[in-house]
Amino acid sequence: MNKFNGEMRSLGYVPKGENGIPERRYFQKGGDQRTHHVHIYEKDNKQIIRHLAFRDYLREHPDSVKMYGDLKMELAKRFPFNIDSYIDGKESLVLELEKKALKWWMSTHK
C-alpha cells in the first residue's frame, strides 16, 4: 500500500487511511477546497456495492441530488470548521438515500 500511497500522492491526493470505514482506503485532493475524493477497497469487498449504488442512484435521481446538495450546503454554512457536526447533520439523509439506492440497485442489476 505504501507504493500505492506514493502513486496517489504524485497525482495530488492525500492518503487518509481508512478514515472511519474499515477496510477502505480514502484519498482527498484539493486541500480545504477539495475537488476530488477516492474510496478504494479490495476486490469483492461488500462495501463496494453500497458506494456504487449510492453514486449511481444519485446520477439517476436529480431530486435526490438536489435534496442532498442543499443539505450539504446548509451544513457547510452552519459548520464551516466542524466536520463532525457536518457529518452528523447529513447522516440520516445519507442512510435514507442509501437504503433507497440499494433497493434501486438490486432492482436494476438482476
Side-chain angles (χ1 to χ4, degrees), residues 50-75:
R50 184 174 66 85
H51 284 279
L52 294 177
F54 191 83
R55 178 200 68 189
D56 291 353
Y57 180 83
L58 291 179
R59 287 179 174 172
E60 296 292 324
H61 296 86
D63 55 325
S64 292
V65 171
K66 180 166 179 9
M67 184 184 335
Y68 186 44
D70 289 349
L71 177 61
K72 288 174 64 166
M73 291 298 290
E74 175 196 331
L75 292 168

Side-chain angles (χ1 to χ4, degrees), residues 23-107:
E23 301 178 13
R24 170 184 77 164
R25 292 299 175 262
Y26 181 69
F27 298 84
Q28 290 181 342
K29 186 175 187 175
D32 290 339
Q33 302 298 315
R34 185 180 66 189
T35 59
H36 299 76
H37 65 264
V38 176
H39 302 257
I40 298 174
Y41 293 94
E42 286 189 35
K43 184 178 178 183
D44 297 327
N45 185 292
K46 63 184 178 205
Q47 298 294 328
I48 295 170
I49 296 300
R50 184 174 66 85
H51 284 279
L52 294 177
F54 191 83
R55 178 200 68 189
D56 291 353
Y57 180 83
L58 291 179
R59 287 179 174 172
E60 296 292 324
H61 296 86
D63 55 325
S64 292
V65 171
K66 180 166 179 9
M67 184 184 335
Y68 186 44
D70 289 349
L71 177 61
K72 288 174 64 166
M73 291 298 290
E74 175 196 331
L75 292 168
K77 288 176 187 172
R78 283 178 48 201
F79 306 111
F81 306 108
N82 187 338
I83 189 66
D84 292 330
S85 293
Y86 170 83
I87 291 169
D88 289 346
K90 65 181 190 145
E91 182 178 19
S92 65
L93 180 59
V94 168
L95 292 173
E96 176 188 328
L97 291 175
E98 184 177 279
K99 186 176 180 180
K100 289 179 181 180
L102 287 168
K103 183 177 179 181
W104 170 82
W105 176 277
M106 298 308 285
S107 72

